[in-house]
Amino acid sequence: MSLHLPHRPRRNRKSAAIRDLVRETELTPGHLIYPLFIQEGRKNDNIASMPGCKRWCLDSLVKEAGEAHALGIPAVVLFPKIADKLKSSSAEECYNPEGLVPRAIQALKQSFPSLTVITDVALDPYNSDGHDGLVAADGRIVNDDTVDVLCRQALCHAEAGADIVAPSDMMDGRVAALRETLDDEDFQDVSIMSYTAKYASAYYGPFRGALDSAPKAGDKKTYQMDPANALEALREAALDEAEGADILMVKPAGPYLDIICLLRAHTVLPIAAYQVSGEYLMIKSASAAGWVDEAKVVQESLIGIRRAGADMILTYFAKDVAKRLG
Ligand code: PBG
């Protein structure tokens, strides 16, 4: 029995060797960025909302980042847990040159000059209100005064040796302001990875648990994007490009593959995608229950993000994946 088909797509799947030859998308440790939570003190703490992740003290941070780098991961991004007594409504701890983040940057760059250190630029870990921007008496999130504080924060990170600053705050005009501040202070080589299309997402819940950084009142919908919108991501991308961003980011990743794909079609800039804490937790929980194979689901989720058009992926699975690929 033969159907006499001229086209049999299965021929290109008939062996592992041929599947290797025709594969369109690659995932290597070189595509991964490893987000790391940090804290003061001499011990590490497990993060209840993110099983398998820890908040690292600085000594352990250096060890963990070094292991990841040795596995081929080119970059880490840092998220600090700030003690309540250092939080304030003006968030001035975010530009303290003796603060946790600047010390972490210095320790990492000293031990591993070839490791790219990325920092988060936003006020939420430092702000007693838990918002990414300053909060006015009437509850509004103030744009322009926030940008001024973000510039100080980014400059503080650059002075400590950060390679890339990553504004995750979604204030208007912050990329241009950061570029100008960095250039004025002779940090022309510090890059800006902009959270271009950052959605107001319920998938950030476990992260806010890790840093105790949830907003005290209200939500983030007046600055983060509405999950229903795609064209608006193109507007944000055009602005970030014009303002001098080096890399555009989409966040979250998995539920927003169409946005990654859309941006890919409209920009020649590199695109990053952030597989966020909720995406991580869903895979972890389902595999801990024995319902899915963690390694396979992680691989498929990351290949999907790469296939959609992301050049690089921020993922809490980075080190596990690099181990498996290596
Ligand atoms: C805050 C920030 C958030 C994340 C990264 N930076 C949380 C938020 O916007 O509320 C979330 C990352 C994750 O969920 O993994 N500037």
Side-chain angles (χ1 to χ4, degrees):
M1 167 67 199
S2 165
L3 292 175
H4 303 292
L5 298 177
H7 297 288
R8 287 183 185 269
R10 286 185 55 191
R11 278 196 288 269
N12 282 350
R13 304 177 203 135
K14 71 185 171 190
S15 67
I18 290 179
R19 289 194 296 275
D20 278 349
L21 289 170
V22 304
R23 185 162 301 121
E24 299 171 33
T25 311
E26 267 201 321
L27 179 71
T28 71
H31 295 121
L32 303 177
I33 298 173
Y34 191 20
L36 291 164
F37 297 101
I38 56 177
Q39 65 182 12
E40 294 287 359
R42 304 200 56 81
K43 63 176 188 53
N44 309 319
D45 282 321
N46 293 325
I47 298 173
S49 56
M50 298 177 67
C53 288
K54 289 182 194 300
R55 282 187 306 264
W56 304 98
C57 67
L58 291 192
D59 287 349
S60 302
L61 165 74
V62 170
K63 187 163 173 284
E64 179 69 7
E67 287 171 13
H69 196 37
L71 291 166
I73 294 173
V76 297
V77 56
L78 303 176
F79 294 102
K81 176 163 166 71
I82 302 299
D84 274 345
K85 62 177 191 305
L86 295 175
K87 297 186 184 187
S88 67
S89 56
S90 51
E92 69 263 20
E93 176 62 16
C94 79
Y95 51 84
N96 175 3
E98 314 286 315
L100 180 59
V101 168
R103 279 180 285 125
I105 300 167
Q106 283 156 357
L108 288 171
K109 291 306 292 184
Q110 206 161 36
S111 302
F112 311 108
S114 64
L115 175 71
T116 292
V117 175
I118 306 173
T119 59
D120 191 60
V121 174
L123 305 186
D124 49 319
Y126 305 92
N127 188 338
S128 41
D129 300 299
H131 277 286
D132 295 27
L134 301 170
V135 184
D138 61 2
R140 278 181 309 118
I141 311 302
V142 184
N143 194 89
D144 299 14
D145 290 339
T146 297
V147 171
D148 190 51
V149 183
L150 297 173
C151 287
R152 292 181 187 218
Q153 182 182 24
L155 187 58
C156 164
H157 296 171
E159 281 165 347
D163 300 287
I164 301 179
V165 294
S168 69
D169 54 287
M170 291 299 280
M171 297 299 121
D172 293 332
R174 90 280 208 213
V175 171
L178 290 176
R179 189 68 273 156
E180 190 181 334
T181 301
L182 292 168
D183 288 358
D184 282 351
E185 301 293 330
D186 260 355
F187 290 110
Q188 289 86 354
D189 290 340
V190 172
S191 318
I192 298 177
M193 174 191 280
S194 177
Y195 287 64
T196 296
K198 178 174 179 179
Y199 286 88
S201 172
Y203 287 83
Y204 307 150
F207 172 99
R208 295 178 190 168
L211 297 183
D212 193 16
S213 63
K216 295 286 182 290
D219 52 40
K220 300 194 175 185
K221 290 180 186 169
T222 66
Y223 46 108
Q224 299 179 348
M225 283 178 54
D226 182 339
N229 294 354
L231 294 176
E232 195 182 343
L234 291 179
R235 186 183 193 197
E236 289 284 3
L239 287 168
D240 281 357
E241 252 189 67
E243 292 179 30
D246 299 285
I247 299 169
L248 305 182
M249 194 198 295
V250 175
K251 175 188 180 183
Y256 296 85
L257 294 180
D258 58 323
I259 307 299
I260 299 173
C261 196
L262 185 66
L263 255 56
R264 180 66 294 156
H266 285 85
T267 183
V268 295
L269 288 178
I271 295 177
Y274 197 147
Q275 183 179 54
V276 301
S277 56
E279 299 176 77
Y280 171 85
L281 183 63
M282 290 195 307
I283 296 176
K284 272 284 174 194
S285 323
S287 55
W291 292 326
V292 296
D293 179 317
E294 178 177 318
K296 289 182 180 159
V297 170
V298 168
Q299 174 72 16
E300 191 173 332
S301 70
L302 297 176
I303 275 288
I305 295 166
R306 289 266 304 137
R307 191 190 62 239
D311 299 286
M312 62 199 94
I313 306 172
L314 293 81
T315 173
Y316 301 99
F317 291 113
K319 195 177 170 206
D320 293 350
V321 173
K323 255 186 223 160
R324 280 198 293 275
L325 294 174

